[in-house]
Amino acid sequence: MCLAVPVLLKQKRDDSGTIDLGGVEREVSLLLTPEAQEGDYVIVHAGFAISVLDREEAEATLSLFRELADSQGQ
Amino acid sequence: MLRSLPAEGSGVSERIRLAHGSGGELSRRLVHEVFLRYLLDPELARLEDSAVLSADGLDGACGALAFTTDSYVVSPLEFPGGDIGKLAVCGTVNDLAAAGARPLWMAAGWILEEGLPLDTLERLVRSMAEWSAAAGIRVVTGDTKVVPQGLADGAYVNTSGVGWVPQGRCLGRQRVRSGDRVLVSGCLGDHGVAVMLARQGISMSAHLVSDVAPLHGLVQSLFDAEVDVRWLRDATRGGLGSVLCELAQGANYGIEVEEQSLPVRAEVSGAAELLGLDPLFIANEGKMVVVVPPEDAAAALGAWNSHPLGRDAAVVGRVTEKHPGRVVSLTPYGTSRIVHLPAGELLPRIC
Amino acid sequence: MRYLSDFRDAAACAALAERIRRLAHGAGEMQFMEFCGGHTHAIARHGLRSLLPENVRLVSGPGCPVCVSSQGDVDRAVALAGRDGVTVVTFGDMMQVPGSEGSLQEARALGADVRVVYSPADALRLAVDCPGRQVVFLGVGFETTAPAVAATVLQAQRQGITNYSVLSLHKLTPPAMRAVLDAGEVRLDGVIGPGHVSTVIGAGAWRFLPEEHGLGCAVAGFEPADLLLAVAELVRMVVEGRPEVANCYRRSVSDGGNSRALAVMEQAFQVVDADWRGLGVVPASGLHFRPELADLDAGARLALPKLESREPAGCRCGEVLRGVLEPSQCPLFGSACTPESPVGPCMVSTEGACSAHYLLREAG
């Protein structure tokens, strides 16, 4: 039971915030991720942010994919 | 106290559930196992959007009448982009248009719940008047009934519609051939998501409006472009996926859908990600699906793209000799999966 | 949609599939378990099995919380829905799960007040809006969901909301993974670790797999490239003979997890033995409210008896959940048991192995 997606945290108010995914907005609880800041991507599950997406790690994984794809292409 | 629920084996599963009305496999079974079991008319058994009744020879007429009926239940009664009055007109017009007919006349039966504010009803009826005028269909007969509070969700509307099919125009699944192309007239799921977001319990918002619109002009644009239209269908509840599954069911051909070619708005995509839904099965109220021969695909796409209601139209699939009776989705990863009629209601899931 | 579509890149997937083929070439048969039902769904949805070489097989595990809820627990939920003055609120996933006396959907058809929400926070709001009704949220889910439910319960207590309670059927995943391995019925060469559970409990929670069972574990995200990367890592571990925990979902998962979420969970719940469909009673694998929150426990507040229920005759969901049986090997699969009239829960949930196999069969 793990459907959760990365969404943009547009606004933060105390322990809640407004998220945006493709223009869909919803109020989510930030109780479990008090460190989340506006402009962060948070992983939201059932209306609760359960983590703040680590952009450096995301980019590192993506560049690993790109390297793999490039090396296959050669 | 526990309300008495039937004991095991007493036929709990044999009651009507909401899922029977969702356009999926249970709806299909209901139609086949209850209605078509007793109502045997061959025209009814075609299960197209409208019955097409030949008028040839009747007092010298040439052509056919298209005749359709539909019922509208939507909560809330007024939603972003429309209301039940507009919905009833557009649904009727689109069912007629899907038979290749020019919409002419319609009937509207309103079932009102005790307590419905009169000004709400006035807005709904005014909307029906405006949209029927815009679509060129006359509301020529009607009926009202009032039921006690709690027995209806504000208001329900039942309509019948009659249209004229010009002589020689012949559409139907029997004309579909392997190699034909499948087009959809625009983005998928706008109505279903707009209405779902307007309901309580989800608490999401988006600048998204229902696509509810009369599509007779869009259909006419195909005939004007001299496209050989094999088969048309208004893709409402159950979405594009259900329409294609019904087309393929029992046929000696299959249908392949290119997942990447499906037009979907960012908002619908976003809601689908959050709620675990597949846009292929989300309801539309202003999307036509057409099957045309491969050599006419470009003309059909051109005709739709230059129409205001078809700007996002796309070729989404093809009819194939492979896997007869089935709809298969081709993923961007070179893999494929069988598309099934959804089992029941489309419910937000968190799994 | 940033950080979503990037991980669905077809070229990356093709490259990863090629990497898996190269790594596995010449190696023996290997079988990995995707523990999480969300992974089962994604693998089927994107047809990823057909990208793997013949000697690399994936088998589904007990990671679908709807599927592993015992028949008795489903029956208790349905019984609650049948009470006057009670509104049962649930995630959509639970609606169609058949209990011995029907599903929640069928209870609703008979007049019960059952609502579907996206978030437990919506259920709490409903309680505030309907002060005359007892609003019961069905707390189904693993470590991903339990903190969210715990947070609403603590909020209800703080705000003195007296008509909100939760039927906690929450379960913990590592004990279930241990139970599957201890049963010794299925031969595994590695485990795809659940991505969002691990977001909460940390990738480190799976270290017992290499240390005690000699099995590699790759914690994975839910996009096709994420899953293929995890499989590639598992194949590499098998070939190199060096099982470890690889975190392939670093953008969301840390080694220690989300300490705040764990603390909230700890504040509301205590660990108890729990009854899993297919696994039976697994020690220290369930979450019940702490005694000081007993009033928010729907079972206690509404004096709900514990129901002993038998699982449906002929249903082999239990074996499917343990990875012993392929869904298609169950005699009911696709005939007596279909998504429209499911016999067991694995055919209901979109992340149940049977449903995923039935609905998302790869076209030949």
Side-chain angles (χ1 to χ4, degrees), chain B residues 91-117:
Chain B
T92 310
V93 165
N94 295 346
D95 279 351
L96 294 171
R102 181 157 70 92
L104 292 173
W105 305 295
M106 65 178 280
W110 290 77
I111 294 163
L112 309 173
E113 184 187 14
E114 176 187 34
L116 176 74

Side-chain angles (χ1 to χ4, degrees), chain B residues 48-53 65-69 95-96 99 101 160-163 165:
Chain B
E48 297 289 4
D49 285 336
S50 289
V52 176
L53 310 164
L65 286 175
F67 182 35
T68 187
T69 184
D95 279 351
L96 294 171
S160 299
V162 174
V165 186

Side-chain angles (χ1 to χ4, degrees), chain B residues 1-15:
Chain B
M1 273 290 98
L2 276 175
R3 196 176 297 150
S4 64
L5 290 168
E8 194 175 358
S10 67
V12 198
S13 61
E14 293 174 21
R15 287 170 190 271

Side-chain angles (χ1 to χ4, degrees), chain C residues 107-357:
Chain C
R108 189 179 59 184
L110 292 168
D113 187 8
V114 183
R115 315 273 182 100
V116 173
V117 290
Y118 164 68
S119 167
D122 300 332
L124 184 58
R125 197 168 312 124
L126 186 72
V128 174
D129 293 346
C130 306
R133 297 190 69 81
Q134 280 295 327
V135 173
V136 180
F137 184 72
L138 295 186
V140 174
F142 295 139
E143 295 94 331
T144 322
T145 318
V149 176
T152 63
V153 164
L154 296 170
Q155 193 185 341
Q157 191 195 36
R158 260 196 322 275
Q159 298 178 350
I161 299 167
T162 54
N163 64 327
Y164 178 74
S165 61
V166 170
L167 185 65
S168 174
L169 308 177
H170 292 295
K171 293 187 171 53
L172 302 173
T173 51
M177 189 67 238
R178 281 178 195 274
V180 167
L181 294 171
D182 291 344
E185 298 166 302
V186 58
R187 190 191 64 83
L188 292 180
D189 301 285
V191 174
I192 299 180
H196 291 135
V197 160
S198 303
T199 296
V200 172
I201 67 175
W206 303 102
R207 212 151 278 140
F208 72 93
L209 287 170
E211 286 170 3
E212 296 170 31
H213 299 271
L215 287 178
C217 173
V219 174
F222 293 80
E223 302 311 326
D226 287 321
L227 280 158
L228 291 169
L229 177 64
V231 173
E233 280 294 278
L234 290 173
V235 173
R236 181 188 59 77
M237 289 180 215
V238 170
V239 172
E240 292 177 356
R242 279 191 310 183
E244 56 175 339
V245 174
N247 182 355
C248 301
Y249 193 29
R250 304 184 85 94
R251 61 190 186 278
S252 181
V253 177
S254 64
D255 194 65
N258 181 336
S259 54
R260 177 70 177 240
L262 291 169
V264 169
M265 210 156 79
E266 171 89 26
Q267 209 184 331
F269 293 117
Q270 57 189 359
V271 176
V272 295
D273 298 349
D275 193 4
W276 293 60
R277 193 183 296 248
L279 301 176
V281 174
V282 177
S285 69
L287 295 173
H288 271 203
F289 287 113
R290 292 193 169 281
E292 57 271 29
L293 290 169
D295 195 43
L296 285 139
D297 174 0
R301 181 186 293 182
L302 302 169
L304 190 64
K306 188 160 174 57
L307 297 176
E308 295 295 337
S309 310
R310 270 209 318 267
E311 290 175 14
C315 173
R316 297 177 72 177
C317 277
E319 288 153 90
V320 170
L321 288 164
R322 297 201 299 276
V324 182
L325 198 75
E326 284 266 328
S328 56
Q329 291 171 317
C330 172
L332 305 185
F333 180 83
S335 51
C337 183
T338 62
E340 300 81 46
S341 52
V343 175
C346 297
M347 189 55 99
V348 176
S349 166
T350 47
E351 63 172 32
C354 297
S355 161
H357 279 249

